[in-house]
Amino acid sequence: GECFDLINGYKCQCKTGWYGYNCDRRQNPTHKSLISRTSTSSSFQLRNSLIDISKILPYSYTLLPMRIQYEFRTTLNRVSLLSIGERFRQELINNRIVTNLDNRIVLSTFIDNQERWVMIIVEVFHLWIDVRVGETSMSQRFYVLGPSLEYELQREIIFGSGNYSGCVRQIEVNYNQAYSILLTDKLVKLDEYRTLGCER
């Protein structure tokens, strides 16, 4: 694989057939079946709806470390974005991405234009969480006080929490240093509140 230097670490992009933190593990056929990257669309329009990511993930004995990346665009001033159980929550509040961990605001990031796509990356480890808002920003690290978020990750990972209206695309989840899933129309249930594409 090809590895990239990050602050306090590195990340490797593995070649096809390999996985793991250092791309040192060969995939077997069951791993390949969990990787979904050949679909028609990974862009969704939500109308007062949500996407329950935890129901889409295949079972694994451990989910950590987990990396959740998504891009969103909305015209609303206040909406729920990503939540992990009751302990981790991201919201858009008046041009700010507000990140809460254990009922404490740990990050409030200003975004200058709400109508453009905004990329967010959340990486959950046993002892800390790294959050990055925007493609060119640096990750911010927050230490988890108390138990890790493993229990919450296995129960509830939700984008939207029921009141999101707008677009979301490229929801990608990497976990357990083995699995990578891009949420597409093959995995997300569509209805009148969740449709493909993104209207202006």
Side-chain angles (χ1 to χ4, degrees), residues 26-119:
R26 184 179 289 276
Q27 289 181 335
N28 62 38
T30 59
H31 287 121
K32 289 179 185 174
S33 67
L34 298 175
I35 299 174
S36 178
R37 293 189 183 272
T38 57
S39 186
T40 56
S41 181
S42 62
S43 183
F44 303 96
Q45 176 90 33
L46 276 62
R47 292 170 192 84
N48 290 319
S49 190
L50 60 87
I51 296 176
D52 190 342
I53 298 169
S54 50
K55 290 195 183 318
I56 297 168
L57 299 179
Y59 173 77
S60 178
Y61 66 94
T62 182
L63 297 175
L64 293 176
M66 178 178 278
R67 180 178 190 269
I68 304 168
Q69 177 175 327
Y70 64 94
E71 296 178 34
F72 79 95
R73 184 174 75 192
T74 184
T75 57
L76 300 180
N77 289 325
R78 185 176 184 119
V79 290
S80 294
L81 297 171
L82 182 69
S83 64
I84 302 170
E86 295 294 320
R87 295 183 61 197
F88 181 89
R89 189 167 308 281
Q90 285 182 318
E91 298 175 282
L92 172 66
I93 303 173
N94 299 325
N95 284 54
R96 288 197 159 290
I97 307 297
V98 178
T99 302
N100 285 278
L101 176 61
D102 292 327
N103 295 316
R104 292 178 304 130
I105 295 175
V106 292
L107 184 64
S108 178
T109 306
F110 178 78
I111 56 171
D112 61 354
N113 185 348
Q114 251 179 245
E115 296 199 25
R116 291 186 16 214
W117 288 101
V118 177
M119 183 195 74

Side-chain angles (χ1 to χ4, degrees), residues 99-159:
T99 302
N100 285 278
L101 176 61
D102 292 327
N103 295 316
R104 292 178 304 130
I105 295 175
V106 292
L107 184 64
S108 178
T109 306
F110 178 78
I111 56 171
D112 61 354
N113 185 348
Q114 251 179 245
E115 296 199 25
R116 291 186 16 214
W117 288 101
V118 177
M119 183 195 74
I120 297 180
I121 298 174
V122 177
E123 294 182 276
V124 182
F125 299 87
H126 285 282
L127 300 176
W128 68 84
I129 297 175
D130 290 342
V131 177
R132 187 170 119 190
V133 177
E135 291 182 35
T136 59
S137 68
M138 306 268 290
S139 289
Q140 301 290 317
R141 178 163 289 172
F142 307 100
Y143 288 91
V144 177
L145 304 175
S148 74
L149 296 181
E150 174 98 33
Y151 177 73
E152 286 81 6
L153 286 168
Q154 291 179 354
R155 290 185 46 243
E156 186 178 78
I157 306 167
I158 293 180
F159 178 85

Side-chain angles (χ1 to χ4, degrees), residues 159-175:
F159 178 85
S161 295
N163 76 341
Y164 183 82
S165 289
C167 298
V168 61
R169 69 181 182 189
Q170 302 297 323
I171 301 175
E172 185 171 3
V173 181
N174 300 290
Y175 66 98

